[in-house]
Amino acid sequence: MFSIIGAIAGFILLGKSFIGAFIGMIIGSIIDNYLVKGNREEDEFSYYKKRATGGRGDFAAMLITLSAAVMRADGKALKVELEYIKTFFGQQFGPAFTTEHVKLLKHFLDGAPIPLEKICEDVKARTVFEVRLQLLHYLFGLANADGHVADEELVMLKRISQLLDIPNSDFESFKNMFWRDSDSDYKVLGIEKIASDEEVKKAYRQMAIRYHPDKVAQLGEEYQRGAKEKFQKLQEAYENIKKSRGMT
């Protein structure tokens, strides 16, 4: 509709010029595409919301939809990633990877637009900060299911992290639990390699408090499993630094 209106307006405003009509049509087409995209995203958000039915179902729908966003980031959904999701659901929720979960995942993997901003707003409204940390840690694990976090996946994880209001320090800590280089153990602790031994110990104590599984104890066993895995990676990073430095 706006492409036609734009063409007419451009034709008239630019002195009955066909070039003006062409420019107006392009501008109108951009508006049309924007409105169509917005309507489709609203429809897809409604599709998602119908499956976030309360309680554990909410969290499952969040996991599945954000999982699809990460899996699509590098243009290929791998079998090993699907197995990671099934295993995670089995560990976290018992035999809870249902037909509905498969349908929801397939729906978004098949190309339906993922309303990422709206879903992340919904996640923020329904969860406490500690749960959002667990979500991000899970998504990093999914991206690393094939043994490598691709650049495109990292960009998507960064975007999700920002939309969930997770500080960059936490994002960098998680990234270096999976995206390893010579300084990764230090980055997990949120410090530079030039830090003193006392600074290393202080950083570890602070991160240990921040990521301790007791932080999500009141949320149920399914959240604690992920927290324990994350806490173990933090401890491993600290032990690696201590060993390399000969610290006691």
Side-chain angles (χ1 to χ4, degrees):
M1 180 181 71
F2 280 99
S3 60
I4 296 173
I5 294 173
I8 295 172
F11 182 76
I12 295 172
L13 292 175
L14 294 181
K16 297 183 179 181
S17 163
F18 286 105
I19 293 178
F22 180 71
I23 293 172
M25 183 179 67
I26 292 175
I27 294 173
S29 296
I30 293 172
I31 295 173
D32 282 337
N33 290 335
Y34 177 80
L35 292 175
V36 168
K37 180 182 178 183
N39 290 334
R40 284 202 68 191
E41 287 192 348
E42 189 62 42
D43 290 342
E44 295 306 330
F45 184 64
S46 297
Y47 180 89
Y48 151 82
K49 287 285 283 184
K50 287 177 183 178
R51 283 144 184 86
T53 54
R56 290 153 72 99
D58 283 345
F59 193 59
M62 294 171 193
L63 282 173
I64 290 295
T65 310
L66 293 178
S67 295
V70 172
M71 292 172 74
R72 282 173 54 173
D74 62 353
K76 52 187 179 182
L78 303 176
K79 183 178 180 181
V80 67
E81 293 172 330
L82 180 59
E83 290 302 319
Y84 179 89
I85 295 174
K86 289 181 177 179
T87 299
F88 180 85
F89 266 70
Q91 292 173 344
Q92 299 292 316
F93 305 109
F97 195 71
T98 66
T99 303
E100 279 301 307
H101 294 142
V102 175
K103 287 168 62 177
L104 180 60
L105 181 63
K106 186 176 186 300
H107 177 79
F108 285 117
L109 286 181
D110 283 348
I114 299 175
L116 199 59
E117 290 82 359
K118 289 180 176 292
I119 288 173
C120 286
E121 281 297 321
D122 187 53
V123 171
K124 285 196 298 180
R126 293 168 179 260
T127 61
V128 296
F129 176 70
E130 288 77 13
V131 171
R132 299 200 296 275
L133 283 179
Q134 292 300 96
L135 253 175
L136 183 61
H137 184 258
Y138 156 79
L139 292 172
F140 262 107
L142 172 62
N144 193 54
D146 60 349
H148 172 66
V149 180
D151 291 340
E152 299 88 347
E153 292 171 325
L154 196 60
V155 170
M156 176 57 69
L157 290 165
K158 179 69 171 179
R159 185 182 177 202
I160 291 172
S161 177
Q162 292 172 334
L163 290 171
L164 293 179
D165 287 342
I166 294 175
N168 187 61
S169 57
D170 291 298
F171 175 82
E172 287 296 323
S173 180
F174 289 174
K175 184 180 83 170
N176 283 279
M177 291 178 183
F178 297 96
W179 180 293
R180 305 288 296 173
D181 61 30
S182 60
D183 296 339
S184 284
D185 290 322
Y186 290 91
K187 292 175 183 175
V188 168
L189 268 61
I191 55 177
E192 299 291 334
K193 201 169 185 177
I194 59 173
S196 67
D197 289 356
E198 284 305 312
E199 288 172 330
V200 169
K201 292 177 182 178
K202 180 180 178 181
Y204 170 71
R205 288 194 295 267
Q206 291 174 337
M207 295 295 277
I209 293 171
R210 187 174 182 82
Y211 291 163
H212 199 282
D214 287 350
K215 285 278 190 177
V216 294
Q218 76 279 10
L219 300 175
E221 186 179 353
E222 63 267 26
Y223 296 99
Q224 280 192 292
R225 289 195 184 100
K228 288 176 181 176
E229 179 185 336
K230 182 166 82 274
F231 190 69
Q232 183 179 354
K233 288 182 179 294
L234 175 65
Q235 289 180 308
E236 288 173 356
Y238 181 53
E239 291 300 323
N240 289 341
I241 294 172
K242 285 173 62 179
K243 184 177 179 180
S244 67
R245 291 183 172 215
M247 291 169 55
T248 56

